[in-house]
Amino acid sequence: MSCRRGALIVLEGVDRAGKTTQCQKLVHALQQSGRAAEIMRFPDRTTKIGQLISSYLEKKSNLEDHTVHLLFSANRWEMVPLMKQKLEQGIDLVVDRYAFSGVAFTSAKPGFSLEWCMNPDIGLPKPDLVMFLQLNPNMAANRGEFGIERYETSAFQRTVHQRFEELMQDSSVNWKVIDAARTIEEVHKDIKRLSEDIISLAQNQPVGEL
Ligand code: DGP
Ligand code: NA
Ligand code: NA
């Protein structure tokens, strides 16, 4: 018996746009409607590479900027066999950040072009849908103090937001912009509807590549 594949659904956005909450709510809603759905998040801090990244983000270690970019990408690549396996088994994957965060965050640093940043992620499984949780940086700042991790400053996040805007010009990626300034339930309703639409389309075509 052939099994219809799962959909690869990604949530992106600047820090504190509500990605993690919305990923959890989406997975729960899909499960409630009888689908096999699982959450994944990048960076996955549990692997050996993920531990290097985590220590860097917590400022317990310093890594050269190109090096850390390649580690983030390697952290995605190491999960690819598992991702493909789950999609083939018909499991929908809801992913909290992906290659787009990789490009947006590193290219927000001086001296990094979008093109250079995109290269290591070329060939990763292509999401069927990427939802960008849009929240202007001032509103994000109103959601409370930033944490103490690397990258968690208003100035850096504003640049990251600009890089995401540039990435969203790429029409080969199925971007949808979600207004994340609304209530959790309003945002969830949009995300759920867009996800259900793409799930029925995705199962008729093979997983693409970035
Ligand atoms: P999170 O665990 O979702 O809070 O993400 C950790 C931080 O790392 C967050 O500030 C975004 C950033 N980040 C996520 N992916 C990448 C990546 O591939 N490259 C870089 N440079 N930063 C990333
Ligand atoms: Na963070
Ligand atoms: Na998050």
Side-chain angles (χ1 to χ4, degrees):
M1 191 186 93
S2 77
C3 157
R4 299 199 290 181
R5 78 163 173 95
L8 181 56
I9 297 170
V10 170
L11 268 72
E12 285 283 8
V14 294
D15 288 337
R16 289 188 308 170
K19 290 181 298 302
T20 304
T21 303
Q22 292 296 338
C23 282
Q24 287 164 351
K25 284 184 74 71
L26 176 59
V27 165
H28 190 243
L30 294 175
Q31 288 171 347
Q32 290 288 306
S33 66
R35 301 215 33 111
E38 292 182 15
I39 201 161
M40 288 187 98
R41 71 175 306 154
F42 292 111
D44 178 337
R45 302 189 192 212
T46 65
T47 69
K48 283 187 181 133
I49 293 167
Q51 285 162 23
L52 292 173
I53 293 169
S54 188
S55 154
Y56 168 82
L57 288 170
E58 293 168 13
K59 299 179 188 165
K60 290 178 181 159
S61 65
N62 286 314
L63 290 166
E64 191 275 333
D65 287 329
H66 300 79
T67 308
V68 80
H69 183 73
L70 296 172
L71 287 176
F72 272 107
S73 179
N75 185 235
R76 289 183 279 276
W77 277 108
E78 66 180 331
M79 300 309 286
V80 167
L82 186 64
M83 291 171 76
K84 287 189 168 165
Q85 188 192 321
K86 287 185 184 292
L87 292 171
E88 277 163 24
Q89 289 169 348
I91 299 169
D92 300 316
L93 295 179
V94 174
V95 185
D96 187 348
R97 295 189 190 281
Y98 199 51
F100 314 98
S101 275
V103 177
F105 278 76
T106 299
S107 70
K109 300 176 180 181
F112 286 86
S113 67
L114 283 185
E115 196 196 4
W116 188 90
C117 292
M118 286 165 83
N119 262 309
D121 288 319
I122 291 175
L124 282 176
K126 186 176 194 160
D128 297 297
L129 172 65
V130 188
M131 289 175 281
F132 182 74
L133 270 60
Q134 178 103 32
L135 187 69
N136 93 36
N138 298 331
M139 289 204 59
N142 285 340
R143 292 187 170 181
E145 288 301 301
F146 274 114
I148 53 161
E149 286 206 330
R150 211 177 282 268
Y151 305 145
E152 294 184 331
T153 68
S154 295
F156 193 76
Q157 296 286 326
R158 271 194 298 275
T159 312
V160 169
H161 193 269
Q162 285 166 9
R163 294 295 174 267
F164 273 123
E165 295 283 352
E166 289 170 50
L167 286 175
M168 284 190 276
Q169 305 303 310
D170 179 358
S171 56
S172 76
V173 173
N174 184 19
W175 284 102
K176 298 283 183 222
V177 177
I178 308 281
D179 174 8
R182 297 168 299 159
T183 67
I184 290 175
E185 287 306 326
E186 284 169 330
V187 174
H188 170 65
K189 218 173 131 210
D190 280 4
I191 288 177
K192 181 164 172 277
R193 181 179 44 81
L194 289 166
S195 299
E196 285 167 347
D197 291 349
I198 207 67
I199 283 167
S200 44
L201 288 176
Q203 50 202 8
N204 299 315
Q205 45 190 287
V207 183
E209 289 184 355
L210 282 183

